[in-house]
């Protein structure tokens, strides 16, 4: 029996940066700090940060000090303005890749493009990025069929959520090219960490008898990894912690693959490996 953990499994650059910035700020100011929304999509990490006096809140009115930490997914432009109007200082942990997407949208909007964003309109990153354009000038799509609701009578800018499945984004781009002969610009906004994780997850799935995907159920990139693995290996399970593992999943499996979302810390991955190793069947 062999357990292989994808080399890029776990925290990405943007998540490490956000957590370090939050911890350093709480220590520097020696006070309780709030993040507007969970700093990353991993409930176990958010829970641990409470021990370091970092607490998530849902609204500006709940912010307890004169500073607030902006999470890795960023926030909407109007919320940022409201925070500044209340003289609350911003500690900006928005991932630089998300910042780059915000800037692309702002420019595309000012230059008169109709924007198609490929992603989940309920996800905070998409909500923050798309808020840099007027709501009449964009459409967020998560399925090919949703393109049928767009007129395609003007120039188009295409952008994707940073954690989008690369093949899905490419399929949308191809479909848009078929639908219009107007000018199209395409922003390559799927981040490097996501691309690498997806490639490794697909490769590992093709070599494994079972795939375990570790990460928050509310984590977009973890859910994308699960879908990529499941397309190749039907025996794919998404878990948040080692407690959800079931011994019977592993009966007859010789090669076990593990990958983890960008907001999953190493200590959770290590516990998952340890629990699998402890099963009698190995
Ligand atoms: S997955 Fe990519 S965009 Fe998201 S926080 Fe990590 S590095 Fe940034």
């Amino acid at each position: 029996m062999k357990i292989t953990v994808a080399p890029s499994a776990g925290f990405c650059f943007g998540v490490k940066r956000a957590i370090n910035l939050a911890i350093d700020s709480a220590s520097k100011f020696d006070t309780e700090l709030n993040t507007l929304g969970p700093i990353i999509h991993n409930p176990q990490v958010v829970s641990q940060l409470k021990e370091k006096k970092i607490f998530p809140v849902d609204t500006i009115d709940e912010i307890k000090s004169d500073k607030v930490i902006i999470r890795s997914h960023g926030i909407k432009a109007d919320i940022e303005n409201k925070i500044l109007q209340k003289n609350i200082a911003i500690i900006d942990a928005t991932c630089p890749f998300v910042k780059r997407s915000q800037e692309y949208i702002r420019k595309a909007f000012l230059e008169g493009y109709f924007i198609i964003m490929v992603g989940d309109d309920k996800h905070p990153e998409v909500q923050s990025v798309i808020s840099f354009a007027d709501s009449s000038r964009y459409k967020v799509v998560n399925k090919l069929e949703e393109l049928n609701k767009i007129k395609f009578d003007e120039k188009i800018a295409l952008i994707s959520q940073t954690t989008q499945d690369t093949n899905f984004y490419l399929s949308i781009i191809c479909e848009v090219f078929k639908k219009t002969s107007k000018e199209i610009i395409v922003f390559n906004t799927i981040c490097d960490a996501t691309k690498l994780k997806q490639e490794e997850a697909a490769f590992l799935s093709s070599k494994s008898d079972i795939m375990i995907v570790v990460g928050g159920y509310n984590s977009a990139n973890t859910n994308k990894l699960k879908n990529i693995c499941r397309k190749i290996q039907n025996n794919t399970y998404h878990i948040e912690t080692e407690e959800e593992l079931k011994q019977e999943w592993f009966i007859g499996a010789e090669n076990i693959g593990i990958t983890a979302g960008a907001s999953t810390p190493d200590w959770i991955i290590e516990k998952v490996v340890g629990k699998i190793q402890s099963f009698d069947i190995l």
Side-chain angles (χ1 to χ4, degrees), residues 12-15 72 95-98 125 162-163 191-194 221 262:
C12 63
F13 145 80
V15 163
S72 54
C95 176
F97 288 115
V98 176
E125 177 201 320
T162 54
T163 50
C191 81
D192 294 345
T194 298
N221 76 86

Side-chain angles (χ1 to χ4, degrees), residues 227-241:
N227 293 339
I228 287 167
C229 294
R230 199 164 277 162
K231 265 189 202 157
I232 299 163
Q233 174 48 262
N234 202 30
N235 257 347
T236 292
Y237 297 91
H238 177 184
I239 58 169
E240 271 191 1
T241 70

Side-chain angles (χ1 to χ4, degrees), residues 128-151:
S128 86
V129 168
I130 208 67
S131 72
F132 284 77
D134 186 276
S135 60
S136 64
R137 299 297 301 150
Y138 67 78
K139 172 98 182 128
V140 179
V141 299
N142 218 4
K143 291 184 190 137
L144 269 176
E145 310 85 82
E146 287 171 332
L147 291 175
N148 296 333
K149 295 177 188 156
I150 298 169
K151 284 194 190 138

Side-chain angles (χ1 to χ4, degrees), residues 23 26 44-55:
I23 292 173
Q44 291 75 29
V45 173
V46 170
S47 207
Q48 268 198 340
L49 286 176
K50 290 178 185 167
E51 290 163 24
K52 299 193 182 292
K53 298 194 284 186
I54 299 160
F55 296 88

Side-chain angles (χ1 to χ4, degrees), residues 10-16 18 39-40 72-73 93-101 123 125 161-163 189-195 197 221 261-263:
F11 277 0
C12 63
F13 145 80
V15 163
K16 277 186 205 156
I39 188 159
I40 60 169
S72 54
H73 305 108
T94 308
C95 176
F97 288 115
V98 176
K99 281 274 186 204
R100 183 182 66 172
S101 294
H123 192 278
E125 177 201 320
Q161 195 170 342
T162 54
T163 50
T189 43
I190 299 176
C191 81
D192 294 345
T194 298
K195 283 183 192 144
K197 273 180 198 296
N221 76 86
S263 44

